[in-house]
Amino acid sequence: MKTGTLATRLTLAAILLTVLIYFGVNVAAYFNDPFTTTLAYGYTSESAVTVAGYVVREEEVLTGQGDLIYVSRREGEKVSQGGTVALIYPSQEALDNANTLRDLEEQLQQLLQARNLTGGTLATARLDEAVSASLVDFRSELAQGSLEGAASAGETLRSAVLQRSYAYTGTEALEASIASLQAQVSDLTAAGSGGATRITAPQGGIFSSLVDGYETVLTPDMLEDMTCQDYRDLPAASGGGSVGKMIYGTEWYYVTLMRTADMGSLKVGDSVTLRFQTGLDRDLTMTVERISDEDSGQRLVVFSSSRYLNLTTLLRHQNAQIIFDSYTGIRVPRSAVRILWEDVTDEDGEVVYRTDGTPEQEQVVGVYCLWGTTARFKPVEVVWQGEDYILVTPAEGTTGTRVLRDGDQVITAAEDLYDGKVIE
């Protein structure tokens, strides 16, 4: 028993010694030749500043007396002059009857479409595709946080599912449902609208349900001579008591205060990229419309655009990034960039010599990359320098294995590096 215990202890000691020797050798090798790599990858860096400001449009508030309101237009929908945007009902019963009638008319329309599509494998396949596409759209809108888009996609999905369900029940059940709905619609239509008051668009434009009180406080005309102090004195939002508003024209504006030190060479007429932090999922190219005189190290800046007006209807006070420039290249750590002296060659690849017989040389910026088991020097051109990284592109004229590519293993630390060195 004692012999077995001694043998076991000796075996464990031998294993522990082997592990310690292994780690000791690797640690010593690292300090003798600290070889490390990192992945080079494509990257875009931006020169930008973040500001807070207001979206300004030509707007008119639509007022109406009553609390029982049905808005008949979607957010951002175009409405012609005289078009109905809302209905105000005199009683809850009248509003409930009107909502029921709208639901029944929608169901009837869906069933009539289903009747046109029933019969045959092709029609069923088309309905299956419609359900799948609607489901994808619905989930996409929810993921983006767009409640308005999700509601619209949800209605489309419900319609597609309803139409698909009648592919199983057959035409008899479908015809019976259509007849029943038609009778209910006729009865409610005959009952009338219950004395509802129509709210119409004074002129053609875009409808928005959001009224925040800035419609008359911030107007395009006011931006022409607004000062930095005027901007600072803007009151807080105070909306309510309306059925919505109409937005006119095609031009809209973003006004903000910027530190003069952050503006660089920005001037009136320049085109810059703005990226709103919420509410708009795309970058905007806007024009510098006006820059005010300096006040306490700040200037009031007005940007204008004639695109995507219908997508800005819910935007007012917004943080935004003003992007002056963007740079795209391959990102590598600063520690990986090296400067070497290389012989100058002519068009035939022959070394060019000076009059004293020594080869002519030039400085070359580049990085060493792992090429199999060797180090390969790849010349680059620097396009942007960050705090701890540099964006580069392959130097002009480089070919073959000397071209730096996205995905290369860049050597960030090693002793006595040179082109062709075997890395173990």
Side-chain angles (χ1 to χ4, degrees), residues 305-370:
S305 175
S306 57
R307 301 188 64 190
Y308 307 121
L309 176 61
N310 63 319
L311 301 181
T312 70
T313 58
L314 295 177
L315 306 183
R316 182 66 79 186
H317 191 261
Q318 284 286 310
N319 291 339
Q321 276 189 312
I322 300 174
I323 303 170
F324 298 106
D325 292 295
S326 63
Y327 307 90
T328 300
I330 298 176
R331 176 169 172 158
V332 298
R334 276 181 172 272
S335 59
V337 179
R338 300 169 185 269
I339 299 176
L340 303 182
W341 285 95
E342 289 193 346
D343 293 341
V344 177
T345 58
D346 58 21
E347 296 179 356
D348 299 324
E350 299 294 331
V351 177
V352 177
Y353 290 91
R354 299 188 182 94
T355 54
D356 61 1
T358 58
E360 187 175 333
Q361 292 189 320
E362 62 181 354
Q363 279 190 336
V364 180
V365 178
V367 295
Y368 283 102
C369 295
L370 193 61

Side-chain angles (χ1 to χ4, degrees), residues 176-196:
S177 297
I178 289 175
S180 174
L181 284 174
Q182 286 175 332
Q184 295 178 64
V185 168
S186 297
D187 292 341
L188 284 174
T189 302
S193 62

Side-chain angles (χ1 to χ4, degrees), residues 66-220:
D67 297 324
L68 304 174
I69 301 173
Y70 170 77
V71 177
S72 60
R73 300 291 180 168
R74 297 186 306 275
E75 187 70 33
E77 181 178 352
K78 289 184 178 180
V79 183
S80 58
Q81 183 177 5
T84 301
V85 297
L87 294 167
I88 302 177
Y89 291 89
S91 67
Q92 185 63 51
E93 181 183 3
L95 176 60
D96 292 342
N97 288 340
N99 286 334
T100 302
L101 178 59
R102 279 185 282 269
D103 288 341
L104 292 175
E105 288 175 336
E106 182 181 346
Q107 292 177 40
L108 179 59
Q109 184 63 31
Q110 292 169 357
L111 294 187
L112 291 174
Q113 292 176 2
R115 181 169 64 183
N116 294 334
L117 293 173
T118 52
T121 358
L122 180 59
T124 303
R126 287 170 58 190
L127 289 171
D128 287 338
E129 291 176 1
V131 171
S132 299
S134 300
L135 182 59
V136 170
D137 291 342
F138 180 65
R139 292 184 62 181
S140 174
E141 295 291 346
L142 283 179
Q144 295 175 15
S146 172
L147 297 182
E148 186 76 21
S152 176
E155 289 296 325
T156 305
L157 175 60
R158 187 179 70 169
S159 173
V161 170
L162 179 64
Q163 294 177 32
R164 182 64 180 88
S165 66
Y166 279 100
Y168 294 105
T169 57
T171 56
E172 291 184 5
L174 178 60
E175 293 297 339
S177 297
I178 289 175
S180 174
L181 284 174
Q182 286 175 332
Q184 295 178 64
V185 168
S186 297
D187 292 341
L188 284 174
T189 302
S193 62
T197 302
R198 294 172 64 243
I199 304 297
T200 60
Q203 55 181 299
I206 295 174
F207 173 76
S208 174
S209 60
L210 177 64
V211 176
D212 54 19
Y214 283 115
E215 288 77 16
T216 55
V217 174
L218 274 173
T219 67

Side-chain angles (χ1 to χ4, degrees), residues 26-45:
N26 279 277
V27 169
Y30 173 79
F31 284 107
N32 288 331
D33 188 5
F35 165 67
T36 57
T37 65
T38 190
L39 187 70
Y41 56 92
Y43 190 78
T44 298
S45 187

